[in-house]
Amino acid sequence: MKLNLKRPLAFFDLEATGITIGSDRIVEIAVLKVFPDGSKEMKNQRINPEMPIPLETSLIHGIYDEDIKDAPTFKQAGPVFAAFLEGCDLAGYNSNKFDIPMLMDEFLRVGVPFDLDNRKFVDVQNVFHQMEQRTLKAAYRFYCGKDIENAHSADADTTATYEVLLGQLERYKETEFKDKKGNVSVPVQNDIDALHKFTNLHNPVDFAGRLVFNDKGIEVFNFGKHKGKCVEDVFHAEPSYYSWMQNGDFPLYTKKCLEKIWVKWNEKKVLIKKSTEKKVVAEIVNVPVPNHSATPRLVAPKKDNDVVRQKNQEVAKPKEPDAQRSLFNKNEPAAPLTDSMLEELKKKFGK
């Protein structure tokens, strides 16, 4: 069977010093690039991890310290593989959880640019585990009818993974699958978009599983005290959580994904702030101007000089004459003299 491809699909496998992303290092990488016309190209390279390989790990993949002492470091080999993988979708066995985040961590550590945006990812293990729940060795025997020779070598595992996918496509091309929500579909198709969707049901953001997309396509935490919470909501409530993760023992690609969300969240805050400021300015500008023609005329309060002048006028104003002074009130007309009046004058002036 020929894969139905729109662009090259790169099957790759890594052997490493261990399984801890961020601290372990790659010791071998193999890539089988399958082109849309069906042709294939293989590139394989052992890598000097610049650290000892634990004996228990060497017993699994058969690579010992002396085997890679003269091999190039990933800083030397990384650019070659980055160029080889350019424009390819990626496929592997358990690649979403291990190989992709391990590879990205190595690229970031040595400063080799490699972008995962706009790529499709096909994890053959996810097809197998969801349909049959077996290991690669069992999968190869089940789908291909034979055993893997030199199992746990990068070349053999990569080729086996490619052949297993071809076997899966043949076996499940008309097989229905019911998901946890009861939805029935035929997901295993000779189509990379369909395989990408089926083998990424957990919607990982960083492939290490620390960040995932929820049903609404929003990034949420998938571990710790904030598991299930929207990343941006956690940033708003506890901004220090971002710094804690960036300084913590997390894979570099997880930190890079977290940084992208952090930058996006801060850009949103700036836009919201600007929008709020514009709204406030608009409200101030649109305040109605008072109509002075319809406003009752207000009498201005008296100034201090007016008050003093009024008080002085009140002091200077003649008081109402009393009974004793009514005789000499100049404002009244003169009364005719009488004998009693003359007698009174005489007593007053002694005449």
Side-chain angles (χ1 to χ4, degrees):
M1 177 184 288
K2 176 184 173 184
L3 286 174
N4 183 17
L5 303 176
K6 297 177 183 177
R7 58 181 179 178
L9 180 62
F11 292 83
F12 77 103
D13 183 72
L14 305 177
E15 303 300 337
T17 59
I19 60 173
T20 303
I21 298 168
S23 59
D24 282 311
R25 299 286 181 264
I26 295 172
V27 297
E28 186 177 24
I29 178 172
V31 180
L32 174 64
K33 186 190 291 189
V34 182
F35 295 90
D37 63 1
S39 62
K40 300 183 287 290
E41 183 180 356
M42 171 73 82
K43 185 177 288 294
N44 180 44
Q45 179 66 61
R46 286 192 172 180
I47 305 293
N48 185 339
E50 302 178 277
M51 64 180 293
I53 305 174
L55 178 60
E56 57 270 24
T57 304
S58 294
L59 291 173
I60 295 174
H61 54 50
I63 302 174
Y64 295 83
D65 291 336
E66 58 191 42
D67 298 325
I68 45 82
K69 63 181 181 180
D70 297 323
T73 64
F74 194 82
K75 187 173 184 179
Q76 296 168 322
V80 176
F81 281 92
F84 190 64
L85 293 170
E86 184 66 30
C88 295
D89 293 323
L90 302 178
Y93 194 87
N94 194 33
S95 52
N96 285 359
K97 291 184 178 180
F98 178 75
D99 298 270
I100 290 177
M102 173 68 80
L103 183 64
M104 287 304 302
D105 225 61
E106 290 279 35
F107 278 137
L108 289 168
R109 184 175 61 85
V110 299
V112 175
F114 190 77
D115 196 353
L116 292 180
D117 292 343
N118 301 317
R119 295 179 190 263
K120 302 298 182 182
F121 311 99
V122 179
D123 192 329
V124 174
Q125 186 194 59
N126 286 350
V127 175
F128 182 44
H129 280 186
Q130 293 181 91
M131 303 301 288
E132 299 296 340
Q133 304 289 310
R134 295 266 173 40
T135 63
L136 176 59
K137 183 177 180 180
Y140 193 66
R141 185 185 302 116
F142 182 81
Y143 292 108
C144 304
K146 50 188 177 181
D147 292 326
I148 303 175
E149 296 182 6
N150 299 321
H152 294 297
S153 68
D155 284 354
D157 288 354
T158 299
T159 302
T161 301
Y162 165 64
E163 294 181 16
V164 166
L165 179 58
L166 295 179
Q168 289 173 333
L169 292 174
E170 185 65 35
R171 176 175 288 270
Y172 301 122
K173 61 182 177 182
E174 296 179 357
T175 303
E176 291 186 345
F177 172 77
K178 180 183 289 188
D179 64 19
K180 294 180 180 180
K181 297 181 179 180
N183 300 316
V184 178
S185 63
V186 181
V188 184
Q189 304 175 26
N190 193 353
D191 179 84
I192 296 303
D193 288 346
L195 291 172
H196 166 79
K197 183 178 180 180
F198 187 54
T199 60
N200 289 273
L201 294 179
H202 296 294
N203 290 323
V205 175
D206 62 339
F207 289 96
R210 303 299 191 196
L211 307 170
V212 297
F213 291 105
N214 63 13
D215 293 340
K216 297 180 180 179
I218 299 173
E219 301 96 337
V220 299
F221 286 109
N222 195 37
F223 76 102
K225 65 178 183 179
H226 293 306
K227 184 174 182 178
K229 295 181 182 178
C230 173
V231 176
E232 292 190 1
D233 289 344
V234 173
F235 286 164
H236 181 75
E238 189 180 346
S240 59
Y241 201 71
Y242 170 77
S243 298
W244 174 76
M245 285 194 65
Q246 291 291 15
N247 293 319
D249 187 19
F250 293 95
L252 294 179
Y253 190 61
T254 297
K255 294 180 180 181
K256 182 177 180 179
C257 293
L258 192 70
E259 182 182 10
K260 288 177 68 174
I261 303 171
W262 175 265
V263 171
K264 180 178 68 175
W265 175 68
N266 277 282
E267 288 175 349
K268 284 184 181 178
K269 286 204 309 179
V270 172
L271 290 175
I272 292 173
K273 183 179 179 180
K274 289 182 178 179
S275 177
T276 303
E277 290 174 349
K278 288 181 179 180
K279 184 178 179 181
V280 171
V281 170
E283 290 176 352
I284 294 174
V285 171
N286 293 326
V287 171
V289 179
N291 186 353
H292 294 290
S293 62
T295 304
R297 185 176 180 182
L298 300 177
V299 179
K302 293 181 179 181
K303 298 181 180 180
D304 293 341
N305 293 338
D306 294 336
V307 175
V308 173
R309 189 181 300 109
Q310 182 178 352
K311 288 184 177 181
N312 291 337
Q313 289 176 352
E314 291 176 355
V315 172
K317 183 178 180 181
K319 294 182 179 180
E320 190 69 21
D322 54 23
Q324 283 188 336
R325 299 183 60 186
S326 62
L327 179 64
F328 305 102
N329 192 341
K330 294 182 179 180
N331 293 329
E332 296 179 0
L337 291 173
T338 61
D339 292 342
S340 60
M341 291 172 64
L342 292 172
E343 188 63 31
E344 186 176 340
L345 289 171
K346 186 178 178 180
K347 288 179 181 180
K348 187 172 182 67
F349 294 102
K351 293 184 180 180

